[in-house]
Amino acid sequence: MPISPQWVKGAAMAKRRMHLGYDFSYSHMAGRWRMPGAWPGRTFPDIEMYEELARIAERGLLDIIFSGDGTGVPDTWRGSRDAAVEWGVNWPRQDLQPIAVAMSRVTQRVGFGLTYSTTFLHPYYIARLMNTLDHITGGRIAMNMVTSTRRSDYANFGMDELMDHSARYDRMEEFVDVCRKLWDSAEPDAMVWNRETGQVGDPAKVHDVRHEGRFFKVTGPLNTPPSPQGRPMLIQAGGSPRGIRASAYVADHVFGADMALALQVKQRQKLDEALVALGRDPQTCGILWQTPLVVAETEAEALRRRDLLLQAIPPEAVGAYLSYNCGYDFSKLPASFSLRELHAEIVASQASPMGLLHELSQKLGPDTVLTRAEFFEHGLRDVVNYETTLAGTPAQIADRLEEAFIATGERGGFMLGHVVSMPQDVIGIADLLVPELQRRGRFRTEYRYRTLKENMLDD
């Protein structure tokens, strides 16, 4: 059927729709588990909490539910894990695979993003696992890849020292090369399942991989049926120049930090340049910007809830979190120092200078001198995302999201999360924010497709 001129005109005038995810990584950490609006009488890892979260997210038509992960107990602060255990700093955790499976069994369309380290794990295992999860979820699985900078994680995988920053990304890129080859080792129509003849597969459509590289040697093929999505969706969050180049190489979509809008615009430009250099179309690769928020029916109520974050954790927990997240022991800070000096020290220790230090350098200038007390005051607000947490009515929040969406090229959307508590603030997203975005033509009113990849490309 030919497309009518009226349809073309209407499509041209239509607004691009943003995509929304929800990050539940810290819902039971940093004191959030006991904040007003949290589940009464339930604590991690009660699976019914996550099943309810999945139902709420799907009711709100969200694209993806996501969680970061880590395998070590934070012990960078003062060389001890005591503060992390006492105050619940990135502890406790569980493997997210069965949690994602449980959430998928009570939903039909919302996707699930799991985090794995390409520094510690082997691509054959991960390719096989993600393929299996893609089948179980009906094509709704994504993998977020991290390179890992935390010493407690390294120690659990038999490593004494951190891998060089650039080498970690080199390994990630080769890791993805191997996974892609394995996912492609069985052609989409390789499975026959002929009940009359008994034939299961077509040998001509299953191929060796025979990969030999700097980090991995894999023969293949993958011994699983082809993935419903062809390849599970890949996500990566590199923010450094090397990380952005890696994102352009490995990721279908990218996670971006909750930084100032001008910095987000700059990262979008840098990513576009890296994508073009690799021959990729920047229009097909969105950035989901991390966006902590609190939405309520009145601005006063939203601001009141955001202020609760400043009461969530004690100073000892702040130090433990910052040290673990960066990979550098901030208990060793002198009485005063410049941000430039601290940046150099962190890089020299093979840790990551991104996050709080990057934000402070951009905001205050790299030569700014801070006292130890001033640094940790900034640290508290950073740990609980106070400064970057949007708080307001549905219309106020939608205004901010729409502004950022337009400024960064109307590709991608937002990874909402780091809320004060679940389920109250997740319900606010689904029942207050989403209808406002729909009213503006900026968010879907139904899921049009079954797989995560298809829904993420439905703008």
Side-chain angles (χ1 to χ4, degrees), residues 193-413:
W193 298 114
N194 189 314
R195 292 183 180 275
E196 293 183 3
T197 66
Q199 183 180 358
V200 174
D202 184 345
K205 296 182 178 180
V206 179
H207 311 285
D208 288 337
V209 168
R210 300 195 182 283
H211 174 92
E212 291 191 32
R214 175 182 171 188
F215 297 100
F216 305 109
K217 181 178 180 180
V218 180
T219 300
L222 202 62
N223 65 342
T224 58
S227 167
Q229 295 186 100
R231 299 170 177 174
M233 195 175 87
L234 299 180
I235 309 169
Q236 209 271 324
S240 66
R242 182 65 182 92
I244 290 173
R245 294 199 306 273
S247 293
Y249 186 78
V250 306
D252 296 307
H253 297 280
V254 174
F255 283 162
D258 54 338
M259 51 192 170
L261 181 56
L263 296 177
Q264 292 179 335
V265 171
K266 183 177 179 181
Q267 180 170 335
R268 178 74 252 188
Q269 293 170 343
K270 294 294 185 182
L271 177 62
D272 286 353
E273 292 170 2
L275 289 165
V276 170
L278 292 172
R280 292 185 60 187
D281 181 1
Q283 294 294 325
T284 65
C285 182
I287 297 181
L288 294 175
W289 301 105
Q290 180 183 343
T291 307
L293 61 79
V294 177
V295 59
E297 293 185 356
T298 68
E299 181 181 23
E301 172 62 13
L303 293 174
R304 186 192 67 78
R305 284 190 59 75
R306 184 178 68 173
D307 286 344
L308 293 172
L309 294 172
L310 297 177
Q311 307 168 25
I313 55 174
E316 186 82 356
V318 173
Y321 179 89
L322 292 175
S323 298
Y324 179 61
N325 204 42
C326 179
Y328 177 84
D329 184 4
F330 287 107
S331 72
K332 300 186 297 184
L333 287 178
S336 64
F337 51 89
S338 75
L339 295 175
R340 188 184 300 278
E341 292 170 340
L342 181 57
H343 183 281
E345 174 69 19
I346 291 173
V347 170
S349 71
Q350 295 295 321
S352 173
M354 301 304 290
L356 174 63
L357 184 59
H358 180 72
E359 288 287 322
L360 290 177
S361 295
Q362 292 289 335
K363 180 179 178 180
L364 305 176
D367 294 318
T368 297
V369 174
L370 294 178
T371 67
R372 180 186 173 96
E374 289 170 339
F375 180 81
F376 283 114
E377 286 177 13
H378 288 291
L380 169 61
R381 291 172 175 258
D382 177 74
V383 170
V384 299
N385 300 106
Y386 182 82
E387 301 291 355
T388 56
T389 295
L390 303 182
T393 65
Q396 290 172 324
I397 299 295
D399 284 345
R400 296 287 297 276
L401 297 184
E402 199 166 16
E403 177 189 11
F405 185 59
I406 293 171
T408 55
E410 296 184 296
R411 288 162 290 161

Side-chain angles (χ1 to χ4, degrees), residues 23-26 28-29 44 66-75 84 89-97 99 113-118 120-121 144-157 321 324-325:
D23 180 356
F24 69 93
S25 305
Y26 297 97
H28 67 286
M29 298 178 189
F44 178 86
F66 164 80
S67 180
D69 198 9
T71 55
V73 180
D75 61 358
V89 178
N90 282 41
W91 183 91
R93 287 192 182 276
Q94 283 196 318
D95 197 298
L96 294 166
Q97 301 167 29
I99 293 175
L114 306 181
T115 297
Y116 293 99
S117 172
T118 58
F120 305 137
L121 302 175
N144 173 47
M145 297 161 290
V146 296
T147 59
S148 301
T149 60
R150 294 159 176 167
R151 295 184 184 276
S152 61
D153 292 317
Y154 273 70
N156 283 337
F157 288 89
Y321 179 89
Y324 179 61
N325 204 42

